[in-house]
Amino acid sequence: MIRKSILMSAVALGAVSAPAFAELNETAQPVEVIRVTTQFREQSLAEVPVNVTAFNAELIDRLDIRNLEDMAAFTPGLVVQEQSPNNTGYSLRGITTDSGDTYAESRVAIFQDGISITRSRGSYVELFDMERIEVAKGPQPTLFGRGALIGGINLIQNKAEDDFSASAFAGIGNYDQREVGGHVNYGLGDGLGLRLAGVHRSRDGHIDNLLGGTLQGRDVSAVRGVFSARLDNGFSFDLIGNYQEDNGPGTSFKSGVLPTPGGDTSPYTPAALFTFPGFEDNQGLGLDRTVWGVTALAEYALSDAWTLSSITGYRQFDSREVFDPIGAGLDLINLAEDARGRQSSQEFRLTYDAGDRVAAVIGGTWFYESGTQRIPLIVNEARAQALLLQTPAVQAQFAQQLGVPTAALFPTLSFLLGVPASDFTNIFNPFPLSIGGTLAAGVPVPLGVYQEEAANSGRTEAFDLFGEITLRATDRLSFTAGLRYTDERKHTSGYGGFVNAPNLIVGGRALLLPGTPNGAVVGQSASFDDVTWRVVAAYEVNDRLNTWVSYARGRRPDVLALDTTAPGFFSVAPAEIVDSLEAGAFLTLDRGTVSGSIFRSEYENFQSSQFDPFDGSLVPTNAGEATQYGLELQANYAITDAVEVYTTYAYNLAKINNTLGGVPQEFGGNRFRYAPEHAVSIGVRAELFSNEMGTLSLLPAYSWQSHIFFDEDNQRFAGVRQDSYGLLRARLRFESADMRWYGEAFGNNLTDEQYLIDAGNTGATFGLPTFIAGSPRTYGVRLGVNF
């Protein structure tokens, strides 16, 4: 299978780059390659012995990358799944980070100018006025630190310059799209500058809500200020402030089991999502989120070889999202997530590179993070009790209290209450039933609005020491070794309890959210430490072809989780460890580049999660061992001076092992979630004509992926698999000859493909999985000016 995929990918890339291989013996100069700082020093991408997908400002513009999903379409191995800016999943090589629990740890590290922004509810940021994006695949413990189990994403924003520049753009489109943005850079003197940039984007949702409004829309505003200094004595400094606000409508959780009133269960047709009056200050469905942070970057050249760097950051987010997790038009249940996080960090690095046989870096990091996640819930008790009575666990509880076999439960209830047995299987005709001790007396307690609330909070303080050294054994052969030691101190606490006096109790505890005794706060602390590393050998075959092989260990830190199913209400998911062997190459041509790698990864303590069907909690679990094989390729090639092609291909076979120590594993043989086995993208920039007035160019792009599962229990619910699909986007742009202004028409998902971005969700807790549709065809026009 793997050999066949490698052959197929080689043939596919050959269609683009085969004409170029003849250039290897020509005397023309190779194409200029993007320069990156993945290894803490500026290098050509061709020199970096890591599988890196990089986009500079020119490529970001050419591919019309305006958000993280656009970037993922041209990054082999990366999937970005956005339910809302508050709930975004990042999957790199099938390893997913998306949990909002405060004690959850990341697997994919996300950085903004060197500052970690990985915490799920604060990680999604708008892309505007960008200098560069770098995505490093494979375990990167030395370079990206704790949480970079399988790679990292670094978003590098434009810094201020010492001269004047400005730009502005505005656009409109269907679904009432509106966007406006730009920047102003003002020189304050030699080496000093101030830069302000911002963007606002909004659009209505593409799913109508039969109960009012739309779903899956956007409303985001973001601004950035940068002060930069570049002094003659070798000192540089950047002070960066970012602020973003999101106020989008609700997420379209459409039930796949219960049809909307007068409707259906299709995720692509109108939903019927309900909010109880007064719930969470009458916020209604949707998101209210702010994210802001301040970063200080300082660098001082101690000599021609030695450089001292400091990266200081503070960041916080506050978000509250209200949603109807059932999505069937029932006044049944509302949930909200009120998440808040604060973090501070300080890193010092000392690098050495004299251009001779040795290059090295040594450093240390202090990181502190605290956060809370509050989950209030409100329920129509009659409907909820009718619904929950359909689950085997609850039926068993009822039958036990009545002293009858489970099979006799419904006939017994029908006799005692004098209602038809069919009432117990129809949530649209809920019955006045309660179990608070009153059933035995035959006097049901009236059911009303029931509320409870759960919360968890986490606090982490981590210290890291790291170092990496590269030895150039010859002019063409080099060896790199890196090591990181991490010490973590964690505290997790939380509670679950009732807001009003509930009737909906089975066995003395709430049915829907995890509970603690009388709603009391419980807490626990723990400490962990570990060592991660990587070793690399790189060989420059000739001036155009670089090859490398690496062996690295990545780690997702231990998780100290609030777990109401465990003794003492806490459980520890041991650190997830991956050992990965990878070999890659970078080929530089006269008109383009071809690069890629092949890898094999083995996981221990593969961290998954399961719903407790009794109380609805999401409990971290150890899914055992897993194995992954993969191949990733990317290429760009200028066929002519007027036509340039970008293409990527990723093969990923990632499964949980069938057995562990000879014992079958629960998810044995199952695929990783959000992990397509094949993914392909191709983009073209074609100049249709160019004259003294300007240039007209067409930029079509197509991305395709094979089927994926949304759950590591691949068969838990029907429909948790998304079949293969492809998305076509394009932009037609006219730019003036002096590059002072441009106008363009753009479109996304031009074939109006129907696809899901998620399935299962909170509704799956109650046996009612919900489905979220991806964006349909969108289009618009945009005008821009440069000064």
Side-chain angles (χ1 to χ4, degrees):
M1 176 70 75
I2 295 175
R3 293 175 61 188
K4 180 179 178 181
S5 297
I6 296 173
L7 179 60
M8 291 173 61
S9 61
V11 171
L13 282 175
V16 175
S17 56
F21 282 91
E23 301 174 5
L24 290 176
N25 294 321
E26 295 181 5
T27 59
Q29 292 297 313
V31 69
E32 183 178 352
V33 179
I34 294 175
R35 301 192 68 80
V36 297
T37 55
T38 305
Q39 296 193 122
F40 302 141
R41 59 188 186 274
E42 185 175 312
Q43 297 174 282
S44 164
L45 187 59
E47 300 171 355
V48 180
V50 178
N51 188 325
V52 178
T53 299
F55 307 86
N56 59 13
E58 180 182 7
L59 192 55
I60 290 171
D61 178 68
R62 286 193 173 190
L63 296 178
D64 198 22
I65 294 174
R66 294 180 176 266
N67 53 52
L68 291 168
E69 297 97 312
D70 292 343
M71 181 266 292
F74 290 95
T75 304
L78 178 64
V79 174
V80 175
Q81 174 261 359
E82 183 205 349
Q83 290 186 9
S84 76
N86 186 58
N87 195 356
T88 301
Y90 304 89
S91 180
L92 192 56
R93 294 184 173 176
I95 302 299
T96 302
T97 288
D98 61 357
S99 174
D101 295 329
T102 59
Y103 48 75
E105 291 284 0
S106 69
R107 292 158 140 179
V108 180
I110 304 171
F111 288 83
Q112 191 176 51
D113 288 313
I115 297 295
S116 173
I117 63 170
T118 303
R119 177 57 56 190
S120 172
R121 297 319 186 230
S123 63
Y124 191 92
V125 293
E126 287 296 298
L127 301 184
F128 63 99
D129 198 34
M130 299 296 296
E131 175 187 338
R132 193 169 66 253
I133 303 172
E134 300 175 8
V135 183
K137 275 76 71 74
Q140 305 298 334
T142 309
L143 305 177
F144 284 87
R146 62 189 305 274
L149 177 80
I150 203 63
I153 303 170
N154 195 10
L155 308 174
I156 303 163
Q157 304 170 121
N158 276 327
K159 309 304 185 293
E161 300 174 342
D162 60 2
D163 56 2
F164 176 80
S165 67
S167 67
F169 67 87
I172 59 173
N174 64 334
Y175 294 102
D176 202 24
Q177 290 184 75
R178 298 288 187 272
E179 66 174 357
V180 61
H183 88 279
V184 175
N185 190 103
Y186 185 74
L188 301 175
D190 190 19
L192 303 176
L194 179 66
R195 189 180 188 97
L196 299 175
V199 68
H200 171 78
R201 296 183 175 116
S202 64
R203 66 172 172 82
D204 292 341
H206 56 83
I207 299 292
D208 289 329
N209 186 2
L210 297 175
L211 302 182
T214 62
L215 306 165
Q216 294 301 123
R218 292 294 304 274
D219 187 350
V220 56
S221 299
V223 294
R224 180 188 315 128
V226 184
F227 168 74
S228 298
R230 304 285 182 267
L231 305 183
D232 293 337
N233 63 359
F235 178 77
S236 65
F237 177 77
D238 297 291
L239 182 64
I240 309 165
N242 283 284
Y243 177 86
Q244 179 168 323
E245 186 174 291
D246 294 275
N247 297 283
T251 302
S252 62
F253 293 113
K254 180 74 176 288
S255 176
V257 178
L258 302 172
T260 56
D264 53 34
T265 59
S266 168
Y268 309 106
T269 57
L273 273 62
F274 175 85
T275 53
F276 284 94
F279 183 59
E280 286 298 283
D281 301 322
N282 283 312
Q283 176 179 312
L285 296 172
L287 174 63
D288 182 4
R289 170 183 182 257
T290 59
V291 182
W292 67 271
V294 178
T295 301
L297 308 176
E299 187 172 282
Y300 182 61
L302 302 174
S303 69
D304 291 340
W306 292 94
T307 302
L308 178 65
S309 302
S310 170
I311 303 174
T312 308
Y314 177 82
R315 181 177 173 83
Q316 72 175 52
F317 66 87
D318 297 89
S319 68
R320 183 168 64 178
E321 186 168 15
V322 176
F323 54 97
D324 175 352
I326 302 302
L330 301 173
D331 56 342
L332 172 60
I333 181 173
N334 279 167
L335 281 169
E337 182 190 33
D338 188 348
R340 301 163 188 250
R342 313 287 184 271
Q343 70 177 60
S344 302
S345 62
Q346 175 63 56
E347 178 170 311
F348 291 106
R349 292 198 301 256
L350 183 63
T351 59
Y352 173 83
D353 190 357
D356 53 14
R357 295 295 186 187
V358 179
V361 60
I362 187 171
T365 302
W366 169 79
F367 176 84
Y368 178 83
E369 177 185 60
S370 64
T372 61
Q373 181 193 43
R374 183 180 65 91
I375 306 174
L377 170 148
I378 187 168
V379 181
N380 178 324
E381 289 185 289
R383 290 197 189 278
Q385 215 171 76
L387 172 63
L388 289 170
L389 196 58
Q390 315 313 310
T391 63
V394 177
Q395 289 177 18
Q397 289 284 340
F398 269 83
Q400 182 181 8
Q401 291 196 21
L402 288 173
V404 299
T406 302
L409 175 63
F410 288 163
T412 302
L413 292 174
S414 175
F415 173 77
L416 289 173
L417 298 175
V419 297
S422 61
D423 282 3
F424 303 117
T425 59
N426 184 0
I427 66 172
F428 294 96
N429 184 27
F431 47 87
L433 178 63
S434 177
I435 320 179
T438 61
L439 182 61
V443 183
V445 173
L447 301 180
V449 174
Y450 160 81
Q451 296 182 55
E452 62 172 284
E453 182 174 295
N456 62 81
S457 63
R459 189 170 66 243
T460 297
E461 186 173 23
F463 299 88
D464 287 58
L465 295 174
F466 60 91
E468 186 168 281
I469 185 169
T470 297
L471 302 175
R472 302 180 180 98
T474 69
D475 290 342
R476 295 189 179 276
L477 177 64
S478 64
F479 299 94
T480 299
L483 190 72
R484 179 178 290 263
Y485 170 75
T486 300
D487 180 85
E488 300 156 335
R489 301 164 191 176
K490 299 186 176 186
H491 180 80
T492 299
S493 61
Y495 66 87
F498 309 121
V499 176
N500 65 341
N503 301 311
L504 191 63
I505 305 175
V506 174
R509 65 187 299 184
L511 286 176
L512 299 176
L513 289 178
T516 54
N518 298 316
V521 177
V522 295
Q524 188 165 312
S525 299
S527 297
F528 308 96
D529 65 345
D530 211 340
V531 173
T532 50
W533 42 266
R534 74 168 186 144
V535 292
V536 184
Y539 182 69
E540 185 180 346
V541 178
N542 53 47
D543 292 342
R544 298 185 182 235
L545 178 61
N546 293 300
T547 62
W548 53 269
V549 60
S550 71
Y551 190 73
R553 167 163 290 189
R555 169 182 178 265
R556 185 192 197 189
D558 304 73
V559 176
L560 176 62
L562 178 66
D563 181 358
T564 61
T565 67
F569 298 101
F570 291 91
S571 62
V572 174
E576 182 178 10
I577 301 296
V578 58
D579 289 318
S580 184
L581 176 64
E582 186 163 2
F586 195 105
L587 176 64
T588 306
L589 305 167
D590 293 343
R591 288 184 171 271
T593 64
V594 180
S595 63
S597 68
I598 186 169
F599 57 90
R600 183 182 191 275
S601 301
E602 293 185 350
Y603 297 84
E604 299 177 14
N605 304 321
F606 188 83
Q607 292 180 11
S608 184
S609 59
Q610 287 181 279
F611 282 114
D612 177 353
F614 183 68
D615 65 13
S617 60
L618 188 63
V619 181
T621 61
N622 184 347
E625 296 180 348
T627 303
Q628 178 180 43
Y629 303 88
L631 166 74
E632 293 167 353
L633 296 170
Q634 51 199 355
N636 66 281
Y637 187 74
I639 298 175
T640 69
D641 291 341
V643 180
E644 189 168 8
V645 179
Y646 309 87
T647 184
T648 70
Y649 170 73
Y651 171 80
N652 183 14
L653 182 61
K655 291 185 177 182
I656 297 172
N657 294 356
N658 288 318
T659 61
L660 174 60
V663 178
Q665 299 193 117
E666 181 179 4
F667 298 144
N670 286 9
R671 296 283 305 275
F672 291 5
R673 61 192 184 117
Y674 302 117
E677 187 172 357
H678 302 277
V680 179
S681 70
I682 183 168
V684 178
R685 182 182 183 272
E687 292 186 5
L688 303 183
F689 73 79
S690 182
N691 57 28
E692 67 279 0
M693 295 181 58
T695 300
L696 180 67
S697 58
L698 177 66
L699 297 96
Y702 182 77
S703 59
W704 175 92
Q705 66 176 41
S706 58
H707 74 269
I708 61 172
F709 293 98
F710 295 107
D711 196 315
E712 271 136 13
D713 184 354
N714 294 170
Q715 308 303 324
R716 187 158 70 101
F717 294 106
V720 297
R721 164 177 161 156
Q722 165 61 54
D723 290 335
S724 61
Y725 69 94
L727 299 177
L728 175 65
R729 55 202 300 259
R731 180 177 65 169
L732 183 66
R733 174 170 175 153
F734 180 81
E735 188 168 29
S736 65
D738 59 5
M739 303 180 69
R740 295 293 299 272
W741 65 271
Y742 64 88
E744 60 188 22
F746 62 88
N748 298 300
N749 191 8
L750 289 173
T751 60
D752 208 19
E753 182 84 6
Q754 292 187 340
Y755 66 100
L756 298 174
I757 61 173
D758 206 2
N761 304 300
T762 307
T765 309
F766 315 109
L768 298 172
T770 56
F771 301 82
I772 304 174
S775 295
R777 181 190 297 117
T778 59
Y779 51 84
V781 294
R782 186 182 296 124
L783 295 174
V785 294
N786 299 299
F787 302 98

